[in-house]
Each structure stands twice: as C-alpha cells, then as structure tokens.
Amino acid sequence: MRISLVLTVVGGDRPGLVESVAAVVADSGGNWLESRMARLGGQFAGIVRVELPAERESALREALAADRTRGVTVTIGAVDPAVDVAGTGGGLAARLELVGQDRPGIVRQISGVLAAHGVNVEELTTGTESAPMSGGLLFRAVAEVSLPSGVKLETVRADLEEIAADLMVDVVLKSAN
C-alpha cells in the first residue's frame, strides 16, 4: 500500500537544500508529487507532497530527522486519503487580487472576510514592492480561493470592497472559470 505525506521544509537558504530533501525522499522509495517553495528573508521554506510505500515511512522519517543536522527542519504530516487532493472547497473557484499601500493588518482583515463566508484559501502569494510615484511600499496579494456551495461570489466581493475602502487597497475577486 502507498501512502501520501506532506512535508514542511524550513532552513537557512543554501545551494543544494532542495536536492538534499529530494535525495532523502528518492532514497526512501518516495515519489515527489507536488510542492510550493520559496526563499523569504534568507530562509527557505516549502511544502511538499510525497507518496511512498507504507513500509518505507519510518525510513523516510529517520532520514529526514538526520538531515536536521545540516540546518534543515522537516515536519511530516499524513494525508487523509478521503480528502480530495485537488482542493477542499467543493464550490466555485475564484481568484482574489489586491494592491495598495502597505500597512499592518491587510492580510488579517481580508482573510477575516473570507473566513466569515467559509471561503477556503487554496493558495496565497504576497509581497511588497516600491511604489512607482510615491516611493512608499505597495502590498500585493494574489489568492486562489474556493467558495463553498451556496455562497455567492457577489456577496463576498461586496464585503471585500466594503473593507477595501478602509484599507485603501484595490480588491478584485473574480471567478477562475
């Protein structure tokens, strides 16, 4: 029987970090299925879904624990086979785009509106950049979200637009289809 595991990988960024984790997975008989990884503030962080024979799980865990001595911390979580790996929302797929002057609390307030409607954030990318005219910082966010059945896109959009004025950001929420 094959099992799926989700690994979270965190360590100081260095050449070969991904290769070291990939080698441990491969040497344990695992298959690297999907991942999201990035360098942030000198650290490297990622999440990886792997599949391997159930009898090889302990060997993978031991090998990854040994890798910590090289400055990489890996945590391992089991994947429930009943969960749809393509997403948990089950409803309408949508894309949220946001841009505005950077300030604390933007992600908290936007995610609060999404959570209040039961919207699942499937993927979120955020960053800051220099504003072209003012020289201040612009905050940008792009999220792939899934609205539960029965929740209208227009309702979520209206609630986001309501707080967007207070946050002084532009928000666009549209169907991904």
Side-chain angles (χ1 to χ4, degrees), residues 34-59:
E34 58 184 324
S35 63
R36 304 288 187 278
M37 300 183 151
R39 179 183 187 277
L40 299 168
Q43 293 291 303
F44 186 83
I47 186 166
V48 182
R49 186 168 67 93
V50 301
E51 182 182 71
L52 71 157
E55 64 272 10
R56 301 288 300 163
E57 179 181 0
S58 61

Side-chain angles (χ1 to χ4, degrees), residues 46-128:
I47 186 166
V48 182
R49 186 168 67 93
V50 301
E51 182 182 71
L52 71 157
E55 64 272 10
R56 301 288 300 163
E57 179 181 0
S58 61
L60 175 68
R61 287 180 182 275
E62 289 171 18
L64 288 170
D67 208 30
R68 288 185 188 164
T69 61
R70 296 187 352 201
V72 178
T73 301
V74 180
T75 56
I76 303 170
V79 174
D80 181 348
V83 174
D84 174 16
V85 296
T88 58
L92 177 69
R95 180 179 178 93
L96 171 71
E97 298 174 4
L98 177 145
V99 64
Q101 288 297 117
D102 185 38
R103 69 177 215 33
I106 295 173
V107 174
R108 180 180 185 178
Q109 288 186 266
I110 295 294
S111 62
V113 170
L114 298 175
H117 288 284
V119 174
N120 190 48
V121 177
E122 302 280 341
E123 187 171 334
L124 173 65
T125 303
T126 65
T128 58

